[in-house]
């Protein structure tokens, strides 16, 4: 290890930044550097102190010098192998515990989706023998298991995982510049990946694509909008992450009702939802051809013009879309004349045909209970807060600010309260708007849907619509378990590649979810990965009496609970790696350095 200085000029001044880096020798003899610790800007005295702290690792040799983690020149000359080798069990040691189980499971998912074959054909090795397909597998596995920055992958995660053992590689798979360079190779294969996944979903889960769920979300960047190019996709817009201060992009996603993703697109952050559907309809038709599909969307996605195009196309594009409750004002009277139809326990509908469409007015008893409880809780809090504000002695400006804060915290309840603020004194009065409350109560748990599927069973239409939770679940997983946000990449190509890698990780996650749903429905994908992560890999060193060492690389035996899960998932653990015998090459001073590092 040694100190490395990086200089950067900023505002006319030269700044020096220091890091402790470690040389690691690859299988081909090359040496790459791994960042061990970032020190930032330190003065000369601090740099000298750090240098002495590193040099002291080799004091047993009688001089100070910097050493790589695996020092060269310490091996002993070993004679011919004897037929019998005696072991020094008292000197046995265990080294390099690393996470193996979750990495192995991710590899099984990668192979099950045949992504190893797909990427091996499209990302051939470089002239320097860089396995780009394996670098991508490392990135996707990292995003699935312990998502974070590429910097953290390089500095910490890869060394604490068994990815090198599983892929038959070395630290070259986690070189920092390779992790970023791999991003530049991916986007040209996006359309081919979508077609490949359709075939895999059909083979693995017998999936059909008669019903497609379409929705949008956004993800933000920790960046100054003034530093971004004007023609880029990072824009300020409606933020679903409650971060209007950050630029963002919009992600449009199409999935099946089971959550199996088919395609996605990255759009500028100021794109309105209603301007995206026409593009995606054309995209799906070009890639998969025209077929009888039902597009299920939430309100706000389609415009009246796009719905008219869908109805008038040849053949018509079928849709089921949510409708704002405000449209009930126009349809409420004719709907009152219709009778309720029971479609399943707790759900009943009214049907109204009008203007070539079928309106489905649905009421769910469970949703009525849930929305009513939410409204009562919010209104109760707001009422109590208003009573507190009335009793406060504050200035008029402070009162208005506190009222604004209460409104932002309980917007739905605020619409049900009449508030009159005195124009001269810091006081106000409030009362319950009972007419609005009656209207809200009448519409709680009720949905107005519209469709051109006039011949379909109302129960089937309701089932189509509630399946929209699948695409919402996909967005929650991308932002939660897979930590797609925030994004720190500076170039647009790499930020889109970041989303592409998160999409690959989601494909692996939903594959595991579907397996668990069929074989172990009580477990989520995240809980299964955590259970597998308990299996560690470790190197066992057994010194021999002839000066050599037997090295046993072993993964720990799974606990009975995990073994049961492995059996339920119909997986088979691989054979333990074969033992190796080598010269004992670790001196006392070197062991101290390892102890210091770990």
């Amino acid at each position: 290890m040694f100190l490395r200085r990086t200089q950067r000029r900023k505002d006319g001044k030269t700044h020096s930044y220091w890091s402790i880096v470690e040389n690691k020798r690859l299988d081909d003899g090359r040496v790459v550097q791994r960042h061990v610790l970032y020190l930032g800007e330190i003065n000369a005295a601090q740099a000298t102190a750090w240098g002495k702290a590193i040099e002291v690792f080799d004091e047993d040799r009688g001089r100070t010098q910097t050493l790589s983690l695996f020092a060269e020149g310490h091996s002993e000359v070993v004679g011919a192998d004897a037929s019998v080798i005696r072991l020094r069990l008292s000197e046995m040691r265990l080294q390099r515990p690393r996470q193996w189980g979750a990495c192995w499971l991710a590899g099984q998912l990668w192979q099950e989706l045949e992504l190893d074959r797909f990427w091996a054909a499209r990302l051939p090795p470089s002239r320097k023998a860089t396995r780009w397909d394996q670098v991508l597998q490392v990135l996707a596995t990292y995003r699935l298991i312990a998502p974070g920055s590429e910097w953290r992958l390089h500095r910490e995660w890869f060394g604490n995982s068994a990815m090198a053992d599983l892929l038959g590689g070395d630290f070259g798979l986690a070189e920092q510049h390779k992790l970023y360079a791999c991003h530049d190779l991916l986007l040209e294969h996006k359309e081919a990946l979508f077609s490949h996944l359709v075939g895999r979903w059909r083979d693995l889960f017998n999936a059909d694509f008669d019903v497609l769920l379409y929705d949008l979300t956004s993800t933000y960047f920790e960046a100054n909008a003034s530093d971004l190019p004007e023609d880029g996709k990072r824009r300020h817009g409606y933020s679903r992450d409650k971060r209007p201060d950050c630029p963002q992009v919009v992600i449009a996603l199409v999935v099946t009702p089971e959550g199996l993703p088919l395609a996605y697109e990255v759009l500028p952050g100021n794109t309105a939802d209603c301007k995206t559907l026409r593009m995606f309809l054309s995209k799906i038709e070009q890639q998969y051809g025209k077929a009888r599909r039902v597009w299920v969307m939430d309100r706000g996605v389609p415009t009246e013009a796009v719905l008219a195009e869908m109805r008038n196309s040849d053949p018509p594009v079928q849709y089921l879309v949510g409708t704002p409750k405000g449209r009930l004002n126009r349809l409420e009277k004719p709907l009152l004349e219709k009778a309720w139809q029971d479609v399943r326990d707790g759900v009943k509908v009214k049907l109204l045909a009008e203007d070539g469409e079928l309106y489905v007015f649905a009421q769910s008893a469970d949703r009525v209970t849930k929305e009513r409880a939410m409204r009562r809780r919010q209104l109760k809090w707001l009422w109590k807060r208003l009573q507190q504000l009335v009793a406060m002695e504050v200035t008029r400006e402070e009162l208005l600010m506190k009222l604004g804060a209460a409104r932002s915290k309980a917007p739905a309840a605020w619409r049900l309260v009449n508030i009159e603020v005195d124009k001269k004194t810091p006081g106000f009065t409030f009362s319950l708007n009972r007419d609005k409350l009656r209207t809200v109560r009448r519409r709680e748990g009720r949905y107005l849907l519209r469709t051109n599927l006039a011949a379909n069973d109302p129960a089937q239409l309701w089932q189509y619509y509630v399946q929209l939770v699948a695409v919402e679940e996909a967005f929650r997983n991308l932002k939660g378990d897979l930590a797609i946000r925030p994004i720190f990449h500076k170039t647009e190509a790499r930020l889109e590649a970041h989303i592409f890698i998160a999409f690959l990780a989601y494909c692996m996650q939903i594959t595991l979810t579907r397996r668990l749903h069929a074989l172990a429905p009580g477990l989520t994908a995240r809980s299964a990965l955590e259970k597998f992560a308990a299996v560690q890999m470790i190197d066992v060193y057994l010194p021999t009496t002839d000066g050599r060492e037997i090295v046993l690389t072993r993964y720990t035996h799974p606990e009975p609970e995990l073994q049961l899960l492995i059996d339920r998932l119909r997986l088979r653990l691989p054979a333990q790696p074969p033992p190796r015998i080598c010269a004992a090459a670790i001196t006392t001073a070197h062991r101290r350095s390892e102890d210091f590092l770990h």
Side-chain angles (χ1 to χ4, degrees):
M1 293 190 302
F2 57 91
L3 282 173
R4 188 176 72 180
R5 182 176 65 176
T6 303
Q7 292 185 330
R8 182 180 301 170
R9 291 189 60 83
K10 183 178 180 181
D11 299 330
K13 296 181 180 180
T14 300
H15 299 263
S16 295
Y17 303 91
W18 296 84
S19 300
I20 298 176
V21 298
E22 167 195 27
N23 281 340
K24 295 184 75 71
R25 186 170 297 278
L26 305 184
D27 294 340
D28 59 5
R30 292 185 301 116
V31 175
V32 299
Q33 293 178 348
R34 182 180 79 92
H35 288 260
V36 176
L37 184 64
Y38 176 68
L39 303 178
E41 289 189 275
I42 59 178
N43 57 38
Q46 291 170 324
T48 302
W50 274 106
K52 290 181 178 180
I54 297 171
E55 289 171 347
V56 80
F57 291 162
D58 204 38
E59 284 182 347
D60 287 348
R61 297 186 60 182
R63 66 179 185 271
T64 59
Q65 66 178 51
T66 57
L67 294 175
S68 62
L69 183 59
F70 296 98
E72 299 178 356
H74 289 255
S75 60
E76 302 176 1
V77 178
V78 180
D81 291 342
S83 58
V84 176
I85 298 177
R86 298 178 181 272
L87 302 179
R88 300 182 184 273
L89 294 180
S90 61
E91 298 180 16
M92 181 186 72
R93 66 184 187 277
L94 309 177
Q95 289 184 289
R96 290 195 62 222
R98 51 205 184 273
Q99 197 280 114
W100 181 87
C103 296
W104 175 79
L105 177 60
Q108 297 300 299
L109 299 172
W110 188 264
Q111 295 175 16
E112 190 168 21
L113 291 174
E114 296 184 358
L115 294 175
D116 50 343
R117 293 166 48 188
F118 177 86
W119 288 113
R122 289 166 176 82
L123 297 179
S126 68
R127 290 181 299 174
K128 295 183 178 180
T130 299
R131 289 289 304 272
W132 294 113
D133 58 329
Q134 291 188 349
V135 175
L136 175 59
Q137 184 175 348
V138 169
L139 285 164
T141 301
Y142 172 62
R143 181 62 47 185
L144 174 68
I145 297 174
S149 66
E150 286 77 9
W151 175 250
R152 175 172 167 265
L153 188 159
H154 161 82
R155 256 187 63 183
E156 176 185 339
W157 185 81
F158 187 85
N160 293 329
S161 75
M163 289 302 297
D165 304 87
L166 291 166
L167 296 178
D170 53 28
F171 188 75
L173 297 175
E175 285 186 64
Q176 187 180 2
H177 74 277
K178 289 182 181 178
L179 296 177
Y180 289 105
C182 184
H183 287 64
D184 303 329
L185 308 175
L186 304 180
L187 295 181
E188 60 183 291
H189 306 293
K190 188 167 73 169
E191 305 301 327
L193 176 67
F194 295 160
S195 298
H196 172 79
L197 288 174
V198 168
R200 293 310 297 151
W201 302 141
R202 187 177 285 116
D203 294 341
L204 291 174
F205 306 114
N206 195 28
D208 60 57
F209 310 101
D210 296 336
V211 179
L212 300 182
L213 313 179
Y214 177 70
D215 205 352
L216 302 101
T217 191
S218 60
T219 186
Y220 63 90
F221 305 85
E222 295 286 357
N224 189 346
S226 61
D227 298 334
L228 302 177
E230 295 183 358
D231 58 345
K233 293 184 177 181
R234 287 170 285 186
R235 287 284 181 268
H236 284 287
Y238 169 65
S239 176
R240 297 160 178 84
D241 301 319
K242 311 300 181 186
R243 290 299 303 271
D245 58 312
C246 295
Q248 64 176 22
V249 294
V250 170
I251 303 174
L253 179 66
V254 175
V255 303
T256 68
E258 296 80 18
L260 304 174
L262 295 186
Y264 78 93
E265 197 63 46
V266 180
L267 307 170
N270 57 356
T271 303
D273 292 0
C274 59
K275 296 182 179 180
T276 64
L277 180 59
R278 183 181 285 111
M279 174 272 297
F280 236 103
L281 288 171
S282 175
K283 180 183 180 69
I284 294 297
E285 286 185 357
Q286 289 177 4
Q287 185 151 6
Y288 305 114
K290 289 188 175 182
R292 181 182 175 86
R293 301 188 185 93
V294 181
W295 287 79
V296 183
M297 301 158 284
D298 210 345
R299 61 180 185 271
V301 173
T303 63
E304 291 294 332
V306 173
L307 290 179
E309 292 176 10
M310 295 173 74
R311 290 193 298 270
N312 298 328
S313 63
D314 186 23
V317 179
Q318 299 175 323
Y319 61 84
L320 175 67
V321 60
T323 304
K325 293 182 179 180
R327 187 175 285 262
L328 278 173
N329 295 332
R330 182 170 65 85
L331 300 176
E332 196 165 20
K333 185 175 180 179
L335 282 173
L336 287 174
E337 301 173 357
K338 301 292 183 178
W340 288 106
Q341 301 180 32
D342 292 327
V343 296
R344 68 182 216 188
D345 291 342
V347 178
K348 51 187 180 180
V349 301
K350 291 184 178 183
L351 303 178
L352 176 64
E354 187 174 293
D355 299 330
E357 292 181 302
L358 179 67
Y359 286 90
V360 182
F361 186 47
Q363 175 179 289
S364 168
D366 292 339
R367 292 297 302 181
V368 169
T369 302
K370 181 177 179 179
E371 293 184 12
R372 192 157 292 175
M374 293 168 59
R375 186 255 308 160
R376 286 173 175 169
R377 183 168 59 251
Q378 195 174 118
L379 185 58
K380 184 178 180 180
W381 178 89
L382 178 61
W383 198 262
K384 181 178 179 180
R385 181 58 177 164
L386 292 176
Q387 289 176 333
Q388 293 172 348
L389 294 179
V390 165
M392 288 184 182
E393 295 182 2
V394 296
T395 64
R396 189 172 187 276
E397 290 74 14
E398 291 176 329
L399 175 65
L400 294 177
M401 292 179 63
K402 292 181 182 296
L403 287 174
R407 178 179 182 178
S408 63
K409 187 172 181 179
W414 184 271
R415 292 190 288 267
L416 305 178
V417 179
N418 296 324
I419 297 179
E420 295 184 5
V421 180
D422 195 292
K423 295 182 179 180
K424 297 181 180 180
T425 64
F428 70 98
T429 60
F430 62 95
S431 61
L432 185 64
N433 190 324
R434 299 186 180 278
D435 292 336
K436 287 186 178 180
L437 179 60
R438 279 192 288 268
T439 301
V440 168
R441 282 179 55 85
R442 190 168 60 247
R443 295 180 179 178
E444 284 173 337
R446 296 183 176 185
Y447 302 88
L448 183 63
L449 315 177
R450 58 191 297 194
T451 180
N452 58 348
L453 295 166
N456 278 58
D457 179 27
Q460 186 65 58
L461 295 176
W462 171 255
Q463 185 63 30
Y464 284 164
Y465 187 70
V466 297
Q467 287 172 341
L468 267 178
V469 298
V471 69
E472 295 171 356
E473 180 69 17
F475 289 144
R476 280 195 294 271
N477 287 331
L478 283 170
K479 294 182 176 183
D481 280 352
L482 305 179
I484 194 176
R485 61 184 181 183
I487 303 175
F488 295 95
H489 292 282
K490 295 182 179 180
T491 65
E492 288 210 352
R494 288 188 177 178
L495 74 87
E496 290 198 41
H498 171 90
I499 297 173
F500 183 86
I501 292 171
F503 178 81
L504 283 174
Y506 176 70
C507 292
M508 298 163 67
Q509 185 191 60
I510 194 63
T511 301
L512 178 57
T513 299
R514 297 307 303 169
R515 288 295 189 209
L516 292 170
H517 179 75
L519 302 171
L523 287 177
T524 63
R526 177 57 52 193
S527 61
L529 286 169
E530 290 173 352
K531 290 181 182 297
F532 273 87
V535 180
Q536 299 284 302
M537 175 165 274
I538 197 166
D539 294 335
V540 182
Y541 287 80
L542 297 170
T544 65
T545 56
D546 61 0
R548 293 181 293 174
E549 288 183 323
I550 294 178
V551 183
L552 301 173
T553 299
R554 291 291 183 266
Y555 60 80
T556 57
H557 190 74
E559 296 295 328
E561 178 186 3
L562 179 57
Q563 186 61 56
L564 178 61
L565 177 59
I566 293 172
D567 295 339
R568 292 294 297 164
L569 291 175
R570 301 170 188 171
L571 297 174
R572 293 186 63 184
L573 295 176
Q576 297 279 11
R580 310 187 311 274
I581 188 166
C582 60
I586 299 183
T587 65
T588 303
H590 193 192
R591 291 175 189 171
R592 289 180 183 175
S593 68
E594 284 192 334
D595 293 340
F596 180 87
L597 286 175
H598 291 90

